[in-house]
Amino acid sequence: MEALTNFQLFCGVGLATSILAYSYAVSRPHPLDHIPTVRPSGLLGSYLPAIKYITNGIDIVQQGFEELVLNDMIRMEYTFGPQMLHDPYHVTIIRTLVTRNLSALLPGIKDEMIATLDESLDMKPNEWESIPVVDFSQSITVRMLNRTVVGLPLCREPDWVDLTLRGTMDVIKEGILLGRVPNFVFALGAKFITTTSSRLRRGAKHLEPIINERLRCMETYGEGWTNRPSDVLQWFIDEGRERTVPLLTARILFFLFGGMASSAAAVAKVLCFLAANPQCVQPLREEVERAIDEHGWTREGIAQMRRVDSFIKETLRFEGTTAYGVQRKATKDVTLSDGTFLPRGTNVAFAVYAIEHDHHNYEDPFTFKPFRFVELQDKCGDPSKYQFASITHDSLGFGLGKSACPGRFLASMTLKVLLAYIVVTYDLKPGKDFPDSRHLAGAILTRPSAKLLFRRRMD
Ligand code: HEM
């Protein structure tokens, strides 16, 4: 027999070691074996559903409805910086200053919306224009959100807009990739997978002159600085925890990340459902025109738009935003009230789509009823219930509990203004590739090729 070459010997030892390691891993009891998890056990088995999950997330989570779902967390400390995890003060600023100042932010949001619509929908009277709905929704959302965050003129600066838009999408892709990298290559892999440093450098170039000028005014005028900007950047500076350009840049980009992708995805769905349901247009127009006649484009006016609110909430419930959500990690061993034991480090998530399509929670859950929530409000006699921004155990689009989305009131106001304005200003109908959605790693997304036809309102 010929002598084994070094290479064959290396392969042989490697194979034997792998078989031993695999046999050991599958024979070891897993601390979660008592819990009905969605993933099969075993060394390779856990990666197979992860791959299947990329294209078929809904089905896998549906399988695990009423069971606990394991999931990897996206690693924000690598895509933005460790300070986002260790000092999430932006959450407090959103809960307090952003939410308290919604009335003051509204005129800027509306102004930015009209400017973006005029630029994107530059058609002649009686002419239909075909618009890719995903791109359109992202462009308008990023501008409206940026207006509240950095104000004019930066919110319209093309490179900044591109950074805050594409950068958000990059972070999502990088986060998904990082979530799939095995732990032992993680620290090294993060450096190569993320574009964090170049993103922050690019952002700092835009923010540096603005931050420096604002710091100068604060030093010069102190409390007497009368035309102090009323935007998120200024609230971060005033808070005083981070006064350097790199740290503030990371915080601002993270803030925009928090609001951008989910709001833009919601806008795309709402516009698609509006185009697909022409029977809703008249009732919506009547409501919006009445509210604007009585209160103008104010928060009071927006609050009167219950059909608009219900249309948005029902669209997101019916179409779904994600297969699973409200992700939590057990930071220590936990025993739940039903006796279920979760060892430290366990990731859990709720089967959001399944819960929002459960007939115990919603009558006729697989039927789109645009004004479902107005009917429920009328039935219980309380219009403050069942609102888009409300959080309940059967309405999980904004999460649940202490970590529920702090930006939901801003998101709700922004979406309502947009839908209300579009419905009274334009006619819409479905275009190409409509209204198909696709599933990506659990998220339910509008197909990027989907088009809508817009025309200036004719009647
Ligand atoms: C329709 C639009 C939006 C949707 C569907 C949405 C949804 C969510 C969800 C599901 C969570 C996780 C909640 C949980 O785990 O319980 C979340 C968290 C968060 N959202 Fe939103 N969001 C939206 C808009 C916004 C906006 C506009 C902002 C910024 C103003 C924002 C800022 C955040 C932040 C900072 C968190 C993390 C909260 C924390 O860690 O405690 N979101 N959002």
Side-chain angles (χ1 to χ4, degrees):
M1 197 168 62
E2 281 176 28
L4 292 174
T5 63
N6 282 349
F7 177 69
Q8 285 167 323
L9 198 63
F10 177 76
C11 291
V13 172
L15 185 64
T17 314
S18 306
I19 291 169
L20 277 174
Y22 177 72
S23 317
Y24 174 69
V26 292
S27 63
R28 263 172 58 209
H30 192 281
L32 293 178
D33 282 349
H34 62 290
I35 299 176
T37 57
V38 176
R39 72 167 199 175
S41 53
L43 196 65
L44 299 177
S46 61
Y47 284 92
L48 296 179
I51 294 163
K52 192 177 168 207
Y53 194 71
I54 298 287
T55 53
N56 201 18
I58 295 274
D59 293 348
I60 293 185
V61 171
Q62 284 280 7
Q63 262 178 39
F65 186 36
E66 293 177 5
E67 301 174 356
L68 293 170
V69 181
L70 290 181
N71 177 44
D72 293 324
M73 298 282 185
I74 288 180
R75 324 264 173 124
M76 292 303 162
E77 70 270 38
Y78 290 94
T79 45
F80 286 98
Q83 70 277 20
M84 300 306 150
L85 283 183
H86 303 138
D87 186 13
Y89 75 89
H90 55 275
V91 174
T92 315
I93 301 247
I94 303 173
R95 279 210 188 100
T96 54
L97 289 164
V98 173
T99 305
R100 257 187 246 144
N101 282 290
L102 287 177
S103 300
L105 292 171
L106 178 56
I109 291 174
K110 181 174 158 261
D111 180 58
E112 205 53 40
M113 169 190 72
I114 294 175
T116 318
L117 283 171
D118 288 349
E119 285 165 32
S120 319
L121 301 173
D122 184 22
M123 65 281 240
K124 296 188 185 74
N126 205 10
E127 180 184 74
W128 286 100
E129 187 168 340
S130 174
I131 297 285
V133 65
V134 171
D135 283 355
F136 173 77
S137 305
Q138 289 174 353
S139 318
I140 197 154
T141 307
V142 77
R143 287 272 297 270
M144 290 165 86
L145 195 56
N146 252 313
R147 179 73 176 256
T148 69
V149 176
V150 292
L152 281 169
L154 185 57
C155 70
R156 294 184 186 176
E157 208 288 323
D159 187 65
W160 172 262
V161 172
D162 183 69
L163 169 68
T164 52
L165 184 55
R166 307 283 154 231
T168 298
M169 300 308 155
D170 287 348
V171 167
I172 293 172
K173 282 185 225 148
E174 290 165 13
I176 290 173
L177 277 176
L178 279 179
R180 302 279 169 246
V181 170
N183 276 346
F184 66 96
V185 286
F186 195 78
L188 194 66
K191 246 188 159 174
F192 294 106
I193 290 172
T194 68
T195 50
T196 310
S197 341
S198 65
R199 220 178 17 248
L200 294 182
R201 267 199 311 275
R202 192 171 154 206
K205 251 194 263 167
H206 293 284
L207 285 177
E208 186 165 18
I210 301 173
I211 292 171
N212 287 342
E213 174 61 11
R214 291 188 184 192
L215 288 173
R216 195 190 58 77
C217 288
M218 286 166 75
E219 208 169 302
T220 312
Y221 305 113
E223 289 304 307
W225 185 18
T226 45
N227 53 348
R228 179 183 287 258
S230 207
D231 57 28
V232 174
L233 173 61
Q234 189 58 43
W235 296 329
F236 284 165
I237 299 176
D238 287 343
E239 211 285 337
R241 296 258 253 282
E242 292 169 334
R243 287 239 167 126
T244 67
V245 172
L247 288 176
L248 281 166
T249 303
R251 192 68 62 174
I252 287 290
L253 291 179
F254 187 57
F255 182 99
L256 286 162
F257 168 80
M260 239 300 292
S262 35
S263 302
V267 168
K269 284 171 201 206
V270 167
L271 294 181
C272 286
F273 272 68
L274 181 64
N277 291 279
Q279 78 285 1
C280 298
V281 170
Q282 200 45 37
L284 287 170
R285 279 181 179 163
E286 280 167 17
E287 179 185 75
V288 173
E289 283 165 353
R290 203 178 324 119
I292 298 308
D293 275 355
E294 282 173 25
H295 302 278
W297 290 94
T298 59
R299 270 200 88 193
E300 293 69 38
I302 305 299
Q304 298 300 311
M305 299 177 190
R306 291 163 61 211
R307 288 179 194 157
V308 171
D309 194 273
S310 172
F311 187 93
I312 297 168
K313 190 175 173 85
E314 174 68 352
T315 297
L316 300 185
R317 181 205 69 81
F318 176 77
E319 170 76 347
T321 50
T322 179
Y324 67 94
V326 199
Q327 300 174 55
R328 300 289 183 264
K329 186 170 192 158
T331 51
K332 52 183 183 184
D333 290 355
V334 186
T335 304
L336 303 179
S337 55
D338 68 350
T340 306
F341 173 68
L342 302 178
R344 177 170 175 263
T346 310
N347 292 328
V348 292
F350 284 64
V352 172
Y353 184 90
I355 291 169
E356 293 188 347
H357 289 80
D358 179 4
H359 69 275
H360 293 103
N361 297 329
Y362 292 95
E363 199 183 300
D364 218 354
F366 288 95
T367 303
F368 177 66
K369 296 185 180 174
F371 306 130
R372 173 191 294 274
F373 296 102
V374 176
E375 283 167 27
L376 286 170
Q377 286 167 354
D378 289 345
K379 225 185 245 174
C380 77
D382 184 354
S384 71
K385 284 200 166 158
Y386 305 106
Q387 291 185 355
F388 173 43
S390 310
I391 291 172
T392 52
H393 286 85
D394 50 19
S395 181
L396 297 167
F398 286 116
L400 195 65
K402 226 168 56 171
S403 299
C405 176
R408 62 190 185 278
F409 300 103
L410 175 65
S412 166
M413 187 178 81
T414 307
L415 256 104
K416 285 179 77 176
V417 175
L418 182 61
L419 174 58
Y421 186 82
I422 285 184
V423 90
V424 293
T425 314
Y426 299 98
D427 294 325
L428 256 78
K429 60 182 183 183
K432 189 177 145 287
D433 272 354
F434 185 86
D436 216 0
S437 61
R438 66 174 187 163
H439 300 161
L440 185 71
I444 303 159
L445 302 166
T446 306
R447 203 164 275 283
S449 55
K451 298 240 169 50
L452 287 185
L453 296 170
F454 278 78
R455 176 180 71 176
R456 287 222 164 253
R457 184 175 165 186
M458 292 297 287
D459 61 342

